[in-house]
PDB file of all heavy atoms in Angstrom:
ATOM      1  N   THR A 289    -107.608 -27.587 -41.173  1.00 87.00           N
ATOM      2  CA  THR A 289    -108.308 -26.546 -40.457  1.00 87.00           C
ATOM      3  C   THR A 289    -108.668 -27.034 -39.038  1.00 87.00           C
ATOM      4  O   THR A 289    -108.495 -26.219 -38.103  1.00 87.00           O
ATOM      5  CB  THR A 289    -109.677 -26.296 -41.220  1.00 87.00           C
ATOM      6  OG1 THR A 289    -109.376 -25.901 -42.505  1.00 87.00           O
ATOM      7  CG2 THR A 289    -110.447 -25.150 -40.576  1.00 87.00           C
ATOM      8  N   VAL A 290    -109.073 -28.257 -38.878  1.00 88.00           N
ATOM      9  CA  VAL A 290    -109.461 -28.766 -37.502  1.00 88.00           C
ATOM     10  C   VAL A 290    -108.084 -28.599 -36.639  1.00 88.00           C
ATOM     11  O   VAL A 290    -108.221 -28.136 -35.537  1.00 88.00           O
ATOM     12  CB  VAL A 290    -109.914 -30.205 -37.580  1.00 88.00           C
ATOM     13  CG1 VAL A 290    -110.007 -30.764 -36.189  1.00 88.00           C
ATOM     14  CG2 VAL A 290    -111.275 -30.260 -38.285  1.00 88.00           C
ATOM     15  N   ILE A 291    -107.033 -29.037 -37.229  1.00 88.00           N
ATOM     16  CA  ILE A 291    -105.802 -29.059 -36.367  1.00 88.00           C
ATOM     17  C   ILE A 291    -105.446 -27.568 -36.006  1.00 88.00           C
ATOM     18  O   ILE A 291    -105.121 -27.275 -34.828  1.00 88.00           O
ATOM     19  CB  ILE A 291    -104.612 -29.660 -37.158  1.00 88.00           C
ATOM     20  CG1 ILE A 291    -104.861 -31.149 -37.287  1.00 88.00           C
ATOM     21  CG2 ILE A 291    -103.300 -29.395 -36.451  1.00 88.00           C
ATOM     22  CD1 ILE A 291    -104.029 -31.835 -38.276  1.00 88.00           C
ATOM     23  N   VAL A 292    -105.543 -26.684 -36.964  1.00 84.00           N
ATOM     24  CA  VAL A 292    -105.156 -25.269 -36.652  1.00 84.00           C
ATOM     25  C   VAL A 292    -106.113 -24.688 -35.633  1.00 84.00           C
ATOM     26  O   VAL A 292    -105.687 -24.006 -34.713  1.00 84.00           O
ATOM     27  CB  VAL A 292    -105.195 -24.402 -37.985  1.00 84.00           C
ATOM     28  CG1 VAL A 292    -105.169 -22.961 -37.625  1.00 84.00           C
ATOM     29  CG2 VAL A 292    -104.008 -24.755 -38.864  1.00 84.00           C
ATOM     30  N   LEU A 293    -107.401 -25.005 -35.768  1.00 83.00           N
ATOM     31  CA  LEU A 293    -108.384 -24.486 -34.841  1.00 83.00           C
ATOM     32  C   LEU A 293    -108.153 -25.058 -33.414  1.00 83.00           C
ATOM     33  O   LEU A 293    -108.229 -24.315 -32.450  1.00 83.00           O
ATOM     34  CB  LEU A 293    -109.839 -24.790 -35.235  1.00 83.00           C
ATOM     35  CG  LEU A 293    -110.256 -23.877 -36.430  1.00 83.00           C
ATOM     36  CD1 LEU A 293    -111.687 -24.304 -36.843  1.00 83.00           C
ATOM     37  CD2 LEU A 293    -110.340 -22.405 -36.034  1.00 83.00           C
ATOM     38  N   VAL A 294    -107.874 -26.311 -33.378  1.00 85.00           N
ATOM     39  CA  VAL A 294    -107.610 -26.902 -32.020  1.00 85.00           C
ATOM     40  C   VAL A 294    -106.337 -26.294 -31.440  1.00 85.00           C
ATOM     41  O   VAL A 294    -106.363 -25.880 -30.207  1.00 85.00           O
ATOM     42  CB  VAL A 294    -107.439 -28.456 -32.176  1.00 85.00           C
ATOM     43  CG1 VAL A 294    -106.875 -29.056 -30.850  1.00 85.00           C
ATOM     44  CG2 VAL A 294    -108.757 -29.044 -32.491  1.00 85.00           C
ATOM     45  N   ILE A 295    -105.231 -26.118 -32.179  1.00 82.00           N
ATOM     46  CA  ILE A 295    -104.095 -25.529 -31.674  1.00 82.00           C
ATOM     47  C   ILE A 295    -104.366 -24.097 -31.276  1.00 82.00           C
ATOM     48  O   ILE A 295    -103.998 -23.679 -30.142  1.00 82.00           O
ATOM     49  CB  ILE A 295    -102.934 -25.596 -32.670  1.00 82.00           C
ATOM     50  CG1 ILE A 295    -102.583 -27.100 -32.884  1.00 82.00           C
ATOM     51  CG2 ILE A 295    -101.699 -24.787 -32.225  1.00 82.00           C
ATOM     52  CD1 ILE A 295    -101.537 -27.257 -34.014  1.00 82.00           C
ATOM     53  N   GLY A 296    -105.067 -23.420 -32.140  1.00 78.00           N
ATOM     54  CA  GLY A 296    -105.316 -21.983 -31.934  1.00 78.00           C
ATOM     55  C   GLY A 296    -106.223 -21.737 -30.786  1.00 78.00           C
ATOM     56  O   GLY A 296    -106.288 -20.581 -30.292  1.00 78.00           O
ATOM     57  N   SER A 297    -106.956 -22.759 -30.396  1.00 75.00           N
ATOM     58  CA  SER A 297    -107.899 -22.460 -29.272  1.00 75.00           C
ATOM     59  C   SER A 297    -107.131 -22.565 -27.880  1.00 75.00           C
ATOM     60  O   SER A 297    -107.722 -22.203 -26.861  1.00 75.00           O
ATOM     61  CB  SER A 297    -109.062 -23.454 -29.302  1.00 75.00           C
ATOM     62  OG  SER A 297    -108.541 -24.749 -29.039  1.00 75.00           O
ATOM     63  N   ARG A 298    -105.943 -22.990 -27.888  1.00 76.00           N
ATOM     64  CA  ARG A 298    -105.190 -22.968 -26.653  1.00 76.00           C
ATOM     65  C   ARG A 298    -104.580 -21.605 -26.348  1.00 76.00           C
ATOM     66  O   ARG A 298    -103.877 -21.038 -27.248  1.00 76.00           O
ATOM     67  CB  ARG A 298    -104.136 -24.014 -26.701  1.00 76.00           C
ATOM     68  CG  ARG A 298    -104.628 -25.387 -26.684  1.00 76.00           C
ATOM     69  CD  ARG A 298    -103.604 -26.398 -26.391  1.00 76.00           C
ATOM     70  NE  ARG A 298    -102.802 -26.137 -25.171  1.00 76.00           N
ATOM     71  CZ  ARG A 298    -101.772 -26.795 -24.820  1.00 76.00           C
ATOM     72  NH1 ARG A 298    -101.322 -27.776 -25.668  1.00 76.00           N
ATOM     73  NH2 ARG A 298    -101.118 -26.478 -23.811  1.00 76.00           N
ATOM     74  N   GLU A 299    -104.950 -21.059 -25.178  1.00 73.00           N
ATOM     75  CA  GLU A 299    -104.581 -19.681 -24.940  1.00 73.00           C
ATOM     76  C   GLU A 299    -103.089 -19.437 -25.013  1.00 73.00           C
ATOM     77  O   GLU A 299    -102.666 -18.435 -25.593  1.00 73.00           O
ATOM     78  CB  GLU A 299    -105.137 -19.308 -23.589  1.00 73.00           C
ATOM     79  CG  GLU A 299    -105.368 -17.796 -23.470  1.00 73.00           C
ATOM     80  CD  GLU A 299    -105.968 -17.328 -22.241  1.00 73.00           C
ATOM     81  OE1 GLU A 299    -106.743 -18.213 -21.587  1.00 73.00           O
ATOM     82  OE2 GLU A 299    -105.613 -16.204 -21.739  1.00 73.00           O
ATOM     83  N   ALA A 300    -102.329 -20.337 -24.410  1.00 72.00           N
ATOM     84  CA  ALA A 300    -100.864 -20.080 -24.422  1.00 72.00           C
ATOM     85  C   ALA A 300    -100.310 -20.004 -25.812  1.00 72.00           C
ATOM     86  O   ALA A 300     -99.480 -19.125 -26.063  1.00 72.00           O
ATOM     87  CB  ALA A 300    -100.203 -21.278 -23.647  1.00 72.00           C
ATOM     88  N   ILE A 301    -100.838 -20.832 -26.664  1.00 78.00           N
ATOM     89  CA  ILE A 301    -100.326 -20.843 -28.029  1.00 78.00           C
ATOM     90  C   ILE A 301    -100.770 -19.608 -28.762  1.00 78.00           C
ATOM     91  O   ILE A 301    -100.006 -18.969 -29.497  1.00 78.00           O
ATOM     92  CB  ILE A 301    -100.727 -22.114 -28.801  1.00 78.00           C
ATOM     93  CG1 ILE A 301     -99.958 -23.350 -28.123  1.00 78.00           C
ATOM     94  CG2 ILE A 301    -100.406 -22.042 -30.240  1.00 78.00           C
ATOM     95  CD1 ILE A 301    -100.359 -24.654 -28.609  1.00 78.00           C
ATOM     96  N   ARG A 302    -102.030 -19.204 -28.563  1.00 78.00           N
ATOM     97  CA  ARG A 302    -102.532 -18.045 -29.131  1.00 78.00           C
ATOM     98  C   ARG A 302    -101.701 -16.794 -28.840  1.00 78.00           C
ATOM     99  O   ARG A 302    -101.334 -15.948 -29.641  1.00 78.00           O
ATOM    100  CB  ARG A 302    -103.950 -17.763 -28.755  1.00 78.00           C
ATOM    101  CG  ARG A 302    -105.015 -18.429 -29.515  1.00 78.00           C
ATOM    102  CD  ARG A 302    -106.184 -17.504 -29.750  1.00 78.00           C
ATOM    103  NE  ARG A 302    -106.762 -16.941 -28.576  1.00 78.00           N
ATOM    104  CZ  ARG A 302    -107.898 -17.319 -28.049  1.00 78.00           C
ATOM    105  NH1 ARG A 302    -108.575 -18.334 -28.545  1.00 78.00           N
ATOM    106  NH2 ARG A 302    -108.333 -16.825 -26.858  1.00 78.00           N
ATOM    107  N   LYS A 303    -101.334 -16.709 -27.550  1.00 76.00           N
ATOM    108  CA  LYS A 303    -100.504 -15.582 -27.099  1.00 76.00           C
ATOM    109  C   LYS A 303     -99.152 -15.624 -27.854  1.00 76.00           C
ATOM    110  O   LYS A 303     -98.672 -14.584 -28.271  1.00 76.00           O
ATOM    111  CB  LYS A 303    -100.242 -15.723 -25.612  1.00 76.00           C
ATOM    112  CG  LYS A 303    -101.230 -15.049 -24.764  1.00 76.00           C
ATOM    113  CD  LYS A 303    -100.811 -15.068 -23.284  1.00 76.00           C
ATOM    114  CE  LYS A 303    -101.982 -14.724 -22.362  1.00 76.00           C
ATOM    115  NZ  LYS A 303    -101.671 -15.085 -21.005  1.00 76.00           N
ATOM    116  N   ARG A 304     -98.577 -16.792 -28.000  1.00 77.00           N
ATOM    117  CA  ARG A 304     -97.276 -16.936 -28.640  1.00 77.00           C
ATOM    118  C   ARG A 304     -97.410 -16.532 -30.102  1.00 77.00           C
ATOM    119  O   ARG A 304     -96.413 -15.956 -30.692  1.00 77.00           O
ATOM    120  CB  ARG A 304     -96.807 -18.307 -28.534  1.00 77.00           C
ATOM    121  CG  ARG A 304     -95.305 -18.362 -28.381  1.00 77.00           C
ATOM    122  CD  ARG A 304     -94.780 -19.800 -28.257  1.00 77.00           C
ATOM    123  NE  ARG A 304     -95.130 -20.368 -26.935  1.00 77.00           N
ATOM    124  CZ  ARG A 304     -94.509 -21.424 -26.494  1.00 77.00           C
ATOM    125  NH1 ARG A 304     -93.510 -21.985 -27.108  1.00 77.00           N
ATOM    126  NH2 ARG A 304     -94.855 -21.969 -25.321  1.00 77.00           N
ATOM    127  N   LEU A 305     -98.559 -16.837 -30.731  1.00 81.00           N
ATOM    128  CA  LEU A 305     -98.699 -16.492 -32.144  1.00 81.00           C
ATOM    129  C   LEU A 305     -98.940 -15.007 -32.385  1.00 81.00           C
ATOM    130  O   LEU A 305     -98.995 -14.455 -33.426  1.00 81.00           O
ATOM    131  CB  LEU A 305     -99.920 -17.259 -32.709  1.00 81.00           C
ATOM    132  CG  LEU A 305     -99.636 -18.735 -33.003  1.00 81.00           C
ATOM    133  CD1 LEU A 305    -100.925 -19.388 -33.437  1.00 81.00           C
ATOM    134  CD2 LEU A 305     -98.563 -18.918 -33.997  1.00 81.00           C
ATOM    135  N   GLY A 306     -99.263 -14.281 -31.235  1.00 82.00           N
ATOM    136  CA  GLY A 306     -99.512 -12.851 -31.362  1.00 82.00           C
ATOM    137  C   GLY A 306    -100.922 -12.459 -31.580  1.00 82.00           C
ATOM    138  O   GLY A 306    -101.308 -11.599 -32.258  1.00 82.00           O
ATOM    139  N   ALA A 307    -101.839 -13.323 -31.075  1.00 88.00           N
ATOM    140  CA  ALA A 307    -103.297 -13.028 -31.166  1.00 88.00           C
ATOM    141  C   ALA A 307    -103.624 -11.671 -30.448  1.00 88.00           C
ATOM    142  O   ALA A 307    -102.925 -11.411 -29.408  1.00 88.00           O
ATOM    143  CB  ALA A 307    -104.084 -14.151 -30.543  1.00 88.00           C
ATOM    144  N   PRO A 308    -104.554 -10.957 -30.943  1.00 90.00           N
ATOM    145  CA  PRO A 308    -104.994  -9.817 -30.124  1.00 90.00           C
ATOM    146  C   PRO A 308    -105.346 -10.251 -28.724  1.00 90.00           C
ATOM    147  O   PRO A 308    -106.102 -11.215 -28.482  1.00 90.00           O
ATOM    148  CB  PRO A 308    -106.321  -9.425 -30.901  1.00 90.00           C
ATOM    149  CG  PRO A 308    -106.150  -9.852 -32.365  1.00 90.00           C
ATOM    150  CD  PRO A 308    -105.355 -11.130 -32.179  1.00 90.00           C
ATOM    151  N   ALA A 309    -104.846  -9.452 -27.795  1.00 88.00           N
ATOM    152  CA  ALA A 309    -104.840  -9.994 -26.315  1.00 88.00           C
ATOM    153  C   ALA A 309    -106.314 -10.061 -25.835  1.00 88.00           C
ATOM    154  O   ALA A 309    -106.544 -10.953 -25.045  1.00 88.00           O
ATOM    155  CB  ALA A 309    -104.030  -9.094 -25.496  1.00 88.00           C
ATOM    156  N   ALA A 310    -107.223  -9.264 -26.343  1.00 90.00           N
ATOM    157  CA  ALA A 310    -108.541  -9.314 -25.832  1.00 90.00           C
ATOM    158  C   ALA A 310    -109.518 -10.158 -26.658  1.00 90.00           C
ATOM    159  O   ALA A 310    -110.717 -10.134 -26.509  1.00 90.00           O
ATOM    160  CB  ALA A 310    -109.110  -7.898 -25.778  1.00 90.00           C
ATOM    161  N   LEU A 311    -108.922 -10.948 -27.622  1.00 90.00           N
ATOM    162  CA  LEU A 311    -109.697 -11.769 -28.500  1.00 90.00           C
ATOM    163  C   LEU A 311    -110.586 -12.745 -27.703  1.00 90.00           C
ATOM    164  O   LEU A 311    -110.064 -13.472 -26.869  1.00 90.00           O
ATOM    165  CB  LEU A 311    -108.802 -12.537 -29.531  1.00 90.00           C
ATOM    166  CG  LEU A 311    -109.575 -13.441 -30.487  1.00 90.00           C
ATOM    167  CD1 LEU A 311    -110.446 -12.657 -31.403  1.00 90.00           C
ATOM    168  CD2 LEU A 311    -108.565 -14.153 -31.377  1.00 90.00           C
ATOM    169  N   GLY A 312    -111.853 -12.710 -27.959  1.00 87.00           N
ATOM    170  CA  GLY A 312    -112.789 -13.696 -27.311  1.00 87.00           C
ATOM    171  C   GLY A 312    -113.329 -13.279 -25.937  1.00 87.00           C
ATOM    172  O   GLY A 312    -114.180 -13.952 -25.419  1.00 87.00           O
ATOM    173  N   THR A 313    -112.876 -12.060 -25.463  1.00 88.00           N
ATOM    174  CA  THR A 313    -113.411 -11.688 -24.165  1.00 88.00           C
ATOM    175  C   THR A 313    -114.272 -10.419 -24.332  1.00 88.00           C
ATOM    176  O   THR A 313    -113.822  -9.457 -24.895  1.00 88.00           O
ATOM    177  CB  THR A 313    -112.263 -11.353 -23.199  1.00 88.00           C
ATOM    178  OG1 THR A 313    -111.345 -10.532 -23.878  1.00 88.00           O
ATOM    179  CG2 THR A 313    -111.645 -12.561 -22.671  1.00 88.00           C
ATOM    180  N   PRO A 314    -115.457 -10.494 -23.737  1.00 89.00           N
ATOM    181  CA  PRO A 314    -116.323  -9.312 -23.789  1.00 89.00           C
ATOM    182  C   PRO A 314    -115.761  -8.154 -23.023  1.00 89.00           C
ATOM    183  O   PRO A 314    -115.049  -8.393 -22.024  1.00 89.00           O
ATOM    184  CB  PRO A 314    -117.672  -9.794 -23.232  1.00 89.00           C
ATOM    185  CG  PRO A 314    -117.286 -10.918 -22.385  1.00 89.00           C
ATOM    186  CD  PRO A 314    -116.119 -11.582 -23.002  1.00 89.00           C
ATOM    187  N   TYR A 315    -116.010  -6.928 -23.458  1.00 89.00           N
ATOM    188  CA  TYR A 315    -115.534  -5.782 -22.693  1.00 89.00           C
ATOM    189  C   TYR A 315    -116.563  -5.306 -21.685  1.00 89.00           C
ATOM    190  O   TYR A 315    -117.732  -4.975 -22.192  1.00 89.00           O
ATOM    191  CB  TYR A 315    -115.086  -4.685 -23.620  1.00 89.00           C
ATOM    192  CG  TYR A 315    -114.639  -3.441 -22.857  1.00 89.00           C
ATOM    193  CD1 TYR A 315    -113.588  -3.577 -21.941  1.00 89.00           C
ATOM    194  CD2 TYR A 315    -115.316  -2.243 -22.903  1.00 89.00           C
ATOM    195  CE1 TYR A 315    -113.170  -2.495 -21.166  1.00 89.00           C
ATOM    196  CE2 TYR A 315    -114.944  -1.134 -22.130  1.00 89.00           C
ATOM    197  CZ  TYR A 315    -113.856  -1.265 -21.284  1.00 89.00           C
ATOM    198  OH  TYR A 315    -113.376  -0.235 -20.566  1.00 89.00           O
ATOM    199  N   ILE A 316    -116.291  -5.361 -20.437  1.00 83.00           N
ATOM    200  CA  ILE A 316    -117.209  -4.839 -19.435  1.00 83.00           C
ATOM    201  C   ILE A 316    -116.621  -3.665 -18.777  1.00 83.00           C
ATOM    202  O   ILE A 316    -115.516  -3.713 -18.233  1.00 83.00           O
ATOM    203  CB  ILE A 316    -117.546  -5.940 -18.422  1.00 83.00           C
ATOM    204  CG1 ILE A 316    -118.078  -7.187 -19.129  1.00 83.00           C
ATOM    205  CG2 ILE A 316    -118.494  -5.431 -17.418  1.00 83.00           C
ATOM    206  CD1 ILE A 316    -118.028  -8.412 -18.270  1.00 83.00           C
ATOM    207  N   ARG A 317    -117.236  -2.576 -18.842  1.00 74.00           N
ATOM    208  CA  ARG A 317    -116.683  -1.276 -18.357  1.00 74.00           C
ATOM    209  C   ARG A 317    -116.506  -1.338 -16.856  1.00 74.00           C
ATOM    210  O   ARG A 317    -117.336  -1.865 -16.122  1.00 74.00           O
ATOM    211  CB  ARG A 317    -117.638  -0.085 -18.667  1.00 74.00           C
ATOM    212  CG  ARG A 317    -116.830   1.124 -18.798  1.00 74.00           C
ATOM    213  CD  ARG A 317    -117.739   2.222 -19.217  1.00 74.00           C
ATOM    214  NE  ARG A 317    -116.930   3.247 -19.965  1.00 74.00           N
ATOM    215  CZ  ARG A 317    -117.451   4.381 -20.365  1.00 74.00           C
ATOM    216  NH1 ARG A 317    -118.706   4.601 -20.231  1.00 74.00           N
ATOM    217  NH2 ARG A 317    -116.735   5.248 -20.933  1.00 74.00           N
TER     218      ARG A 317
END
Side-chain angles (χ1 to χ4, degrees):
Chain A
T289 304
V290 169
I291 291 167
V292 168
L293 284 177
V294 167
I295 293 172
S297 65
R298 291 193 52 189
E299 204 178 329
I301 292 173
R302 271 221 307 255
K303 271 185 194 166
R304 212 180 291 199
L305 287 175
L311 180 60
T313 45
Y315 177 59
I316 303 163
R317 206 176 207 185

